[in-house]
Amino acid sequence: MRWPLILSLLLNAVLVVALVVIGGRANRVVSGLIDHAQKAKERRVDAMNATRVGSADIVLLGDSLTWEGSWDEYFPNQQVVNRGVGGDQVDDLAARFDAVVAHDPGQLVFMAGINDLNFGRDVRAIIQSYESLFDRIDTDLPGTAVVLQSVLPTNGDWVIAVDPADVEALNHYLWAEAAERGWRYLDLTPLFSDEQGQLTEELSNDGIHLKGEGYRIWRDALGPILVE
């Protein structure tokens, strides 16, 4: 009976060592991916800071959804500046808002909030961040026409479960805030949602970011407002 016991103990010890090694590698991989994402954000901001563009007709401020759109090609007859950065939350936009002010845009197009939900922020905390940034917009860009866009939904393909009720709560606030401040509100929800209120599957390959058809829909919805 002694050998089976010894063999069992040895196997358990090997298993524990294997789990420790695998776990250590997994932690390093996750840590490396986080570091890579942060450095990518830093490179993006550095690249934007190297711009030679002065005043702009339109500045789009947001996260990766804004960043991945070819907005200068969608609206070639206007001076368009894309100030989207992947992974940005509302407070990140506020931290780099001085660079937006420097462009003195005729129109400011805003979309943000989904990354705040991705990182588990409470809706009330996100609204406080909105309010702080919106106050700065009113103060620093009094002559700029502002367009608040609804937060887009996600679907089950996205790696993080986002409560649709939280997205709806943010959009209700954005709608009311736009009315209060005299800004435009563009509700994209009906254009991007399926019957369950999730992001239409055909418009995304990961449950959150948009494919070409999504940007065509967005461009066509935003275009008439920018012309006005």
Side-chain angles (χ1 to χ4, degrees), residues 167-219:
V167 175
E168 184 178 357
L170 292 183
N171 287 337
H172 179 77
Y173 165 80
L174 292 170
W175 167 80
E177 194 70 5
E180 177 71 21
R181 295 177 185 265
W183 297 347
R184 293 292 299 267
Y185 177 69
L186 177 58
D187 185 9
L188 296 168
T189 304
L191 302 176
F192 286 87
S193 301
D194 60 20
E195 295 179 354
Q196 287 73 44
Q198 295 190 325
L199 179 62
T200 303
E201 185 176 352
E202 291 77 13
L203 300 180
S204 176
N205 62 1
D206 66 357
I208 187 170
H209 298 100
L210 300 178
K211 295 162 60 177
E213 181 60 22
Y215 282 104
R216 282 189 285 271
I217 293 171
W218 190 352
R219 174 203 64 196

Side-chain angles (χ1 to χ4, degrees), residues 71-93:
W71 300 104
D72 56 339
E73 297 179 33
Y74 302 157
F75 306 110
N77 297 323
Q78 296 167 292
Q79 178 67 63
V80 179
V81 173
N82 185 341
R83 289 296 173 258
V85 174
D88 263 9
Q89 301 179 49
V90 178
D91 288 341
D92 296 316
L93 273 57

